[in-house]
Amino acid sequence: MSLNLIKLCVGCESVEELEGWIALKLDEKRRAGQPVESFHTTRMVPKRVDELLAGGALYWVIKGGVQCRQRLLDVRPFVDAEGVGRCRLILAPEVIRTEWQPRRPFQGWRYLSPEDAPADLAGSGADDELPLHLRKELTELGLL
């Protein structure tokens, strides 16, 4: 069974901004001749790696709610230049939009079970076309 992670997307105002940042980083790596892969560095190494890599994703909280996810491809622990243990979460570059789900701020990442994860928006219906502020308000009212 797969397992997911959830993390705040600090400094990002929108899903579009996250997509732009990912595209910029991948382009910089391509031009520098580095491996072209999307990753997020974190201090803590997940212990449930096998479950995460069995189809899990990293769900991003942007502006108070889960709004999108990226598939997890690998988890790579490493030691940085200062000798601190860290971890790279290797992610698929595609950002998949999800239903808006409210989340309070928290530090680091958390495990997120498939039952608690919001559904993907792609192909889920007419609400795909609603602007975020309307989806957010309708979700808070229990109408979506």
mmCIF file of all heavy atoms in Angstrom, residues 99-117:
data_model
loop_
_atom_site.group_PDB
_atom_site.id
_atom_site.type_symbol
_atom_site.label_atom_id
_atom_site.label_comp_id
_atom_site.label_asym_id
_atom_site.label_seq_id
_atom_site.Cartn_x
_atom_site.Cartn_y
_atom_site.Cartn_z
ATOM 1 N N GLU A 99 -7.964 18.694 -5.309
ATOM 2 C CA GLU A 99 -9.025 19.459 -4.659
ATOM 3 C C GLU A 99 -8.387 20.272 -3.540
ATOM 4 O O GLU A 99 -7.417 19.840 -2.932
ATOM 5 C CB GLU A 99 -10.080 18.523 -4.076
ATOM 6 C CG GLU A 99 -10.860 17.775 -5.130
ATOM 7 C CD GLU A 99 -11.862 16.815 -4.519
ATOM 8 O OE1 GLU A 99 -11.862 16.600 -3.287
ATOM 9 O OE2 GLU A 99 -12.650 16.251 -5.296
ATOM 10 N N TRP A 100 -8.933 21.460 -3.279
ATOM 11 C CA TRP A 100 -8.417 22.292 -2.201
ATOM 12 C C TRP A 100 -8.844 21.676 -0.876
ATOM 13 O O TRP A 100 -10.009 21.335 -0.679
ATOM 14 C CB TRP A 100 -8.950 23.717 -2.330
ATOM 15 C CG TRP A 100 -8.299 24.662 -1.377
ATOM 16 C CD1 TRP A 100 -7.140 25.337 -1.588
ATOM 17 C CD2 TRP A 100 -8.743 25.011 -0.074
ATOM 18 N NE1 TRP A 100 -6.834 26.107 -0.495
ATOM 19 C CE2 TRP A 100 -7.805 25.913 0.464
ATOM 20 C CE3 TRP A 100 -9.825 24.648 0.711
ATOM 21 C CZ2 TRP A 100 -7.925 26.467 1.722
ATOM 22 C CZ3 TRP A 100 -9.950 25.193 1.971
ATOM 23 C CH2 TRP A 100 -9.014 26.087 2.461
ATOM 24 N N GLN A 101 -7.864 21.488 0.014
ATOM 25 C CA GLN A 101 -8.150 20.916 1.328
ATOM 26 C C GLN A 101 -7.438 21.780 2.372
ATOM 27 O O GLN A 101 -6.225 21.935 2.317
ATOM 28 C CB GLN A 101 -7.624 19.473 1.392
ATOM 29 C CG GLN A 101 -7.976 18.739 2.655
ATOM 30 C CD GLN A 101 -7.368 17.349 2.656
ATOM 31 O OE1 GLN A 101 -6.160 17.216 2.872
ATOM 32 N NE2 GLN A 101 -8.179 16.335 2.419
ATOM 33 N N PRO A 102 -8.181 22.373 3.313
ATOM 34 C CA PRO A 102 -7.543 23.275 4.284
ATOM 35 C C PRO A 102 -6.523 22.555 5.167
ATOM 36 O O PRO A 102 -6.727 21.403 5.554
ATOM 37 C CB PRO A 102 -8.718 23.792 5.109
ATOM 38 C CG PRO A 102 -9.792 22.770 4.959
ATOM 39 C CD PRO A 102 -9.596 22.157 3.608
ATOM 40 N N ARG A 103 -5.431 23.252 5.484
ATOM 41 C CA ARG A 103 -4.386 22.728 6.374
ATOM 42 C C ARG A 103 -3.801 23.865 7.182
ATOM 43 O O ARG A 103 -3.472 24.917 6.651
ATOM 44 C CB ARG A 103 -3.252 22.078 5.581
ATOM 45 C CG ARG A 103 -3.585 20.758 4.997
ATOM 46 C CD ARG A 103 -3.703 19.709 6.082
ATOM 47 N NE ARG A 103 -4.280 18.511 5.502
ATOM 48 C CZ ARG A 103 -4.094 17.304 5.956
ATOM 49 N NH1 ARG A 103 -3.351 17.115 7.014
ATOM 50 N NH2 ARG A 103 -4.667 16.292 5.372
ATOM 51 N N ARG A 104 -3.637 23.621 8.462
ATOM 52 C CA ARG A 104 -2.969 24.589 9.339
ATOM 53 C C ARG A 104 -1.459 24.475 9.128
ATOM 54 O O ARG A 104 -0.959 23.423 8.741
ATOM 55 C CB ARG A 104 -3.293 24.285 10.799
ATOM 56 C CG ARG A 104 -4.735 24.510 11.156
ATOM 57 C CD ARG A 104 -4.944 24.159 12.622
ATOM 58 N NE ARG A 104 -6.341 24.244 12.970
ATOM 59 C CZ ARG A 104 -6.890 25.290 13.554
ATOM 60 N NH1 ARG A 104 -6.159 26.343 13.839
ATOM 61 N NH2 ARG A 104 -8.181 25.284 13.840
ATOM 62 N N PRO A 105 -0.727 25.542 9.432
ATOM 63 C CA PRO A 105 0.730 25.485 9.293
ATOM 64 C C PRO A 105 1.351 24.444 10.232
ATOM 65 O O PRO A 105 0.848 24.195 11.323
ATOM 66 C CB PRO A 105 1.183 26.893 9.702
ATOM 67 C CG PRO A 105 -0.018 27.752 9.561
ATOM 68 C CD PRO A 105 -1.196 26.866 9.831
ATOM 69 N N PHE A 106 2.436 23.838 9.782
ATOM 70 C CA PHE A 106 3.194 22.876 10.572
ATOM 71 C C PHE A 106 4.630 22.905 10.073
ATOM 72 O O PHE A 106 4.904 23.418 8.992
ATOM 73 C CB PHE A 106 2.584 21.461 10.463
ATOM 74 C CG PHE A 106 2.509 20.931 9.065
ATOM 75 C CD1 PHE A 106 3.540 20.176 8.528
ATOM 76 C CD2 PHE A 106 1.409 21.196 8.263
ATOM 77 C CE1 PHE A 106 3.473 19.690 7.224
ATOM 78 C CE2 PHE A 106 1.316 20.721 6.970
ATOM 79 C CZ PHE A 106 2.355 19.963 6.449
ATOM 80 N N GLN A 107 5.539 22.361 10.864
ATOM 81 C CA GLN A 107 6.946 22.346 10.465
ATOM 82 C C GLN A 107 7.300 21.001 9.855
ATOM 83 O O GLN A 107 6.750 19.967 10.233
ATOM 84 C CB GLN A 107 7.840 22.612 11.664
ATOM 85 C CG GLN A 107 7.778 24.043 12.130
ATOM 86 C CD GLN A 107 8.824 24.336 13.195
ATOM 87 O OE1 GLN A 107 9.241 23.458 13.919
ATOM 88 N NE2 GLN A 107 9.234 25.591 13.279
ATOM 89 N N GLY A 108 8.222 21.029 8.928
ATOM 90 C CA GLY A 108 8.709 19.791 8.322
ATOM 91 C C GLY A 108 7.664 19.162 7.417
ATOM 92 O O GLY A 108 6.841 19.837 6.828
ATOM 93 N N TRP A 109 7.719 17.843 7.322
ATOM 94 C CA TRP A 109 6.741 17.108 6.537
ATOM 95 C C TRP A 109 6.009 16.145 7.458
ATOM 96 O O TRP A 109 6.442 15.883 8.572
ATOM 97 C CB TRP A 109 7.404 16.359 5.376
ATOM 98 C CG TRP A 109 8.568 15.486 5.774
ATOM 99 C CD1 TRP A 109 9.899 15.796 5.680
ATOM 100 C CD2 TRP A 109 8.515 14.178 6.358
ATOM 101 N NE1 TRP A 109 10.668 14.773 6.171
ATOM 102 C CE2 TRP A 109 9.844 13.760 6.590
ATOM 103 C CE3 TRP A 109 7.485 13.315 6.719
ATOM 104 C CZ2 TRP A 109 10.164 12.524 7.154
ATOM 105 C CZ3 TRP A 109 7.800 12.086 7.288
ATOM 106 C CH2 TRP A 109 9.125 11.703 7.479
ATOM 107 N N ARG A 110 4.898 15.629 6.983
ATOM 108 C CA ARG A 110 4.105 14.641 7.722
ATOM 109 C C ARG A 110 3.715 13.537 6.745
ATOM 110 O O ARG A 110 3.602 13.765 5.540
ATOM 111 C CB ARG A 110 2.803 15.253 8.274
ATOM 112 C CG ARG A 110 2.988 16.440 9.189
ATOM 113 C CD ARG A 110 3.426 15.989 10.580
ATOM 114 N NE ARG A 110 3.497 17.090 11.512
ATOM 115 C CZ ARG A 110 4.545 17.835 11.746
ATOM 116 N NH1 ARG A 110 5.641 17.652 11.068
ATOM 117 N NH2 ARG A 110 4.518 18.787 12.652
ATOM 118 N N TYR A 111 3.482 12.352 7.280
ATOM 119 C CA TYR A 111 2.914 11.283 6.460
ATOM 120 C C TYR A 111 1.451 11.618 6.202
ATOM 121 O O TYR A 111 0.778 12.213 7.038
ATOM 122 C CB TYR A 111 3.009 9.930 7.166
ATOM 123 C CG TYR A 111 4.417 9.398 7.261
ATOM 124 C CD1 TYR A 111 5.044 9.263 8.491
ATOM 125 C CD2 TYR A 111 5.128 9.012 6.120
ATOM 126 C CE1 TYR A 111 6.336 8.765 8.586
ATOM 127 C CE2 TYR A 111 6.419 8.525 6.204
ATOM 128 C CZ TYR A 111 7.021 8.402 7.445
ATOM 129 O OH TYR A 111 8.295 7.911 7.533
ATOM 130 N N LEU A 112 0.949 11.224 5.044
ATOM 131 C CA LEU A 112 -0.437 11.465 4.667
ATOM 132 C C LEU A 112 -0.975 10.173 4.052
ATOM 133 O O LEU A 112 -0.492 9.731 3.004
ATOM 134 C CB LEU A 112 -0.523 12.612 3.660
ATOM 135 C CG LEU A 112 -1.903 12.976 3.132
ATOM 136 C CD1 LEU A 112 -2.763 13.564 4.258
ATOM 137 C CD2 LEU A 112 -1.788 13.968 1.983
ATOM 138 N N SER A 113 -1.948 9.580 4.710
ATOM 139 C CA SER A 113 -2.517 8.327 4.201
ATOM 140 C C SER A 113 -3.341 8.600 2.951
ATOM 141 O O SER A 113 -3.882 9.705 2.777
ATOM 142 C CB SER A 113 -3.382 7.668 5.268
ATOM 143 O OG SER A 113 -4.540 8.436 5.491
ATOM 144 N N PRO A 114 -3.473 7.615 2.073
ATOM 145 C CA PRO A 114 -4.274 7.803 0.855
ATOM 146 C C PRO A 114 -5.722 8.198 1.171
ATOM 147 O O PRO A 114 -6.325 8.968 0.428
ATOM 148 C CB PRO A 114 -4.218 6.439 0.165
ATOM 149 C CG PRO A 114 -2.966 5.812 0.666
ATOM 150 C CD PRO A 114 -2.810 6.310 2.080
ATOM 151 N N GLU A 115 -6.268 7.713 2.270
ATOM 152 C CA GLU A 115 -7.649 8.038 2.648
ATOM 153 C C GLU A 115 -7.814 9.518 2.999
ATOM 154 O O GLU A 115 -8.896 10.085 2.836
ATOM 155 C CB GLU A 115 -8.116 7.201 3.846
ATOM 156 C CG GLU A 115 -8.052 5.706 3.651
ATOM 157 C CD GLU A 115 -6.653 5.131 3.895
ATOM 158 O OE1 GLU A 115 -5.953 5.543 4.842
ATOM 159 O OE2 GLU A 115 -6.249 4.269 3.095
ATOM 160 N N ASP A 116 -6.764 10.136 3.520
ATOM 161 C CA ASP A 116 -6.834 11.541 3.932
ATOM 162 C C ASP A 116 -6.381 12.514 2.850
ATOM 163 O O ASP A 116 -6.506 13.723 3.014
ATOM 164 C CB ASP A 116 -5.976 11.757 5.185
ATOM 165 C CG ASP A 116 -6.520 11.019 6.396
ATOM 166 O OD1 ASP A 116 -7.746 10.771 6.438
ATOM 167 O OD2 ASP A 116 -5.725 10.670 7.286
ATOM 168 N N ALA A 117 -5.843 11.996 1.757
ATOM 169 C CA ALA A 117 -5.329 12.849 0.686
ATOM 170 C C ALA A 117 -6.474 13.354 -0.184
ATOM 171 O O ALA A 117 -7.419 12.623 -0.466
ATOM 172 C CB ALA A 117 -4.335 12.066 -0.161
#
